[in-house]
């Protein structure tokens, strides 16, 4: 956190009020981020406006002044007190014009947007069209934004997956079944791969390597049941993997000897009180968003790399592919014998 004396007075003169919104899918830790942005802004002498329901709320003018007590007692809550929404209208120039009128009406000089790649894509376009300083925070359980080692909500979702798989394992082993468990990820395999390692699953089927190998065939050919009579396979939701249902259908057709079951974890993965890691990450990133605006940064996402806060241009965060950890994939294979 900067000291008051160290602030850039030119920027202070241009920014007096910051608006904050959460957009896209909710993620545990968004409230901790809202709290951090609000308090860091007030600490630096700025006003804060909370914008409800993401970009939709900018269009429909759902804006309230936030004081420090508006964000009391929320660090431990899942979801987002600002609510979140998806807005088709904001994807049109006309919708964004109405949104900008709301920004002007409330004398908001800069925005902090907390959300996933779609939300940051919208932020980038809006910032460019209206020359508005915007800083993004990576708020998504999917961990699919480039330039940051992790995203707000990912660790909590991973822990939720691990706890759910632990429970499913009890029934899988009692009935000697093969379970395909579908986890979220929106086309990215981070939750599936890391969730599989954390829960001691036999395999993860992830979109990143779908075009390289037939992961199901690989799994069966490697004799994944050589020493076991029940198995757990995590499947990332994706058109490429076909999801857990797609995998189970294939097994029923191609390997009818298996007693196969499917569990789709679904929205349980978004909920719950954020983990300590997510609370700390969100707090650091929220405070860093205000530091970034004081540093005259705009069109950047706050990231974390090797435990250090970094500024990642929106263009990089959104467009670059974030590679999965191939060593971890190999470790999963080795440990599942
Ligand atoms: P998650 O990854 O958790 O689902 P997200 O931020 O990627 O979160 P999206 O539904 O993709 O969620 O995007 C949220 C909102 O961002 C959209 O409803 C829309 O208002 C805005 N948005 C997305 N893409 C664009 C775009 N190309 N132009 C303008 N706005 C956009």
């Amino acid at each position: 956190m900067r000291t008051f004396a160290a602030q850039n007075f030119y920027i202070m003169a241009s920014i007096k009020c910051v608006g904050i919104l959460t957009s896209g899918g909710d993620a545990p830790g968004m409230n901790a981020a809202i709290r951090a942005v609000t308090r860091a802004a007030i600490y630096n002498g700025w006003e804060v406006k909370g914008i409800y329901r993401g970009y939709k709320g900018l269009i429909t003018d759902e804006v309230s002044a936030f004081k420090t007590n508006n964000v009391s007692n929320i660090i431990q809550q899942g979801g987002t007190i600002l609510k979140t929404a998806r807005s088709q209208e904001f994807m049109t120039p006309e919708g964004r014009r109405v949104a900008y009128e709301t920004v002007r009406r409330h004398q908001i000089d800069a925005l902090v947007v907390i959300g996933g790649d779609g939300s940051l894509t919208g932020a980038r376009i809006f910032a460019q069209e209206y020359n508005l300083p915007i800083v993004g925070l990576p708020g998504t359980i999917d961990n699919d934004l480039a330039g940051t080692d992790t995203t707000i909500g990912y660790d909590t979702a991973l822990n939720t997956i691990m706890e759910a798989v632990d429970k499913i394992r009890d029934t899988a082993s009692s009935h000697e079944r093969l379970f395909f468990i579908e986890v979220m990820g929106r086309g990215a395999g981070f939750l599936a791969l890391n969730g599989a390692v954390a829960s001691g699953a036999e395999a993860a089927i992830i979109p990143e390597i779908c075009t390289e190998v037939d992961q199901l065939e690989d799994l069966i050919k490697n004799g994944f049941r050589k020493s076991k009579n029940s198995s757990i396979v995590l499947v990332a939701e994706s058109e490429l993997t076909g999801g857990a249902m797609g995998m189970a259908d294939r097994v029923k057709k191609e390997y009818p000897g298996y007693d196969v079951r499917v569990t789709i974890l679904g929205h349980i993965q978004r909920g719950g009180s954020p983990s300590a890691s997510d609370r700390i990450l969100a707090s650091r990133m929220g405070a860093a968003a205000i530091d970034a605006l004081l540093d005259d940064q705009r069109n950047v996402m706050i990231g974390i790399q090797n435990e250090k806060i970094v500024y990642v241009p929106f263009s990089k965060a959104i467009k670059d592919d974030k590679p999965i950890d191939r060593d971890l994939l190999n470790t999963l294979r080795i440990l599942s014998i």
Side-chain angles (χ1 to χ4, degrees), residues 23-26 55 85-88 90-91 96 115-122 125 139-142 144 186 270:
S23 167
D26 61 310
Y55 295 127
R86 303 193 200 266
S87 169
Q88 278 298 323
F90 190 77
M91 296 175 88
R96 291 193 294 275
D117 60 344
S119 303
L120 300 189
T121 303
I125 294 169
T140 170
I141 64 166
D142 303 332
D144 59 348
R186 285 241 286 184
R270 288 197 182 283

Side-chain angles (χ1 to χ4, degrees), residues 93-109:
E94 176 54 20
R96 291 193 294 275
R97 192 185 59 72
V98 178
Y100 186 65
E101 282 166 12
T102 305
V103 166
R104 300 287 303 161
R105 198 175 312 115
H106 290 277
Q107 299 179 317
I108 293 169
D109 305 308

Side-chain angles (χ1 to χ4, degrees), residues 152-302:
I152 296 166
Y154 172 64
D155 181 70
T156 307
L158 209 46
N159 279 289
T160 301
I161 290 167
M162 184 184 72
E163 284 164 24
V165 175
D166 287 351
K167 291 193 167 77
I168 293 168
R169 183 178 289 287
D170 291 343
T171 177
S173 93
S174 301
H175 284 277
E176 304 183 294
R177 282 175 173 151
L178 162 59
F179 261 84
F180 287 107
I181 302 175
E182 185 174 302
V183 300
M184 287 185 169
R186 285 241 286 184
F190 298 101
L191 284 173
L193 173 57
N194 288 271
V197 173
S199 57
E202 276 59 46
I205 294 187
I206 58 174
E208 287 86 346
I209 60 165
C210 269
T211 51
E212 294 171 26
V213 283
D214 183 334
Q215 295 170 90
L216 180 64
E217 209 177 276
D218 215 26
L219 184 71
I220 307 268
K221 285 212 175 112
N222 281 340
F224 72 110
R225 298 189 82 174
K226 267 193 299 220
S227 55
K228 298 168 186 174
N229 48 22
S230 71
S231 309
I232 304 262
V233 177
L234 266 60
V235 186
E237 62 163 4
S238 158
E239 279 174 18
L240 285 171
T241 62
M245 292 299 261
M247 280 296 141
D249 286 347
R250 268 193 68 189
V251 170
K252 280 179 200 158
K253 270 191 216 123
E254 297 170 35
Y255 309 96
Y258 292 105
D259 186 8
V260 58
R261 290 290 186 279
V262 166
T263 301
I264 296 173
L265 292 186
H267 287 86
I268 192 174
Q269 295 162 90
R270 288 197 182 283
S273 181
S275 65
S277 287
D278 272 331
R279 295 183 199 194
I280 294 165
L281 180 73
S283 299
R284 288 181 70 190
M285 286 183 160
I290 298 303
D291 277 349
L293 288 169
L294 287 163
D295 277 342
D296 204 15
Q297 293 284 337
R298 44 177 69 202
N299 263 342
V300 293
M301 178 192 83
I302 303 298

Side-chain angles (χ1 to χ4, degrees), residues 74-96:
I74 65 167
I75 195 169
Q76 78 283 13
Q77 290 175 24
T80 158
I81 59 158
L82 284 174
K83 314 295 178 193
T84 184
R86 303 193 200 266
S87 169
Q88 278 298 323
E89 225 181 322
F90 190 77
M91 296 175 88
T92 66
E94 176 54 20
R96 291 193 294 275

Side-chain angles (χ1 to χ4, degrees), residues 315-327:
S315 52
K316 185 176 167 53
I318 298 156
K319 290 211 178 108
D320 285 8
D321 279 341
K322 183 168 180 174
I324 54 132
D325 183 346
R326 297 223 168 215
D327 289 344

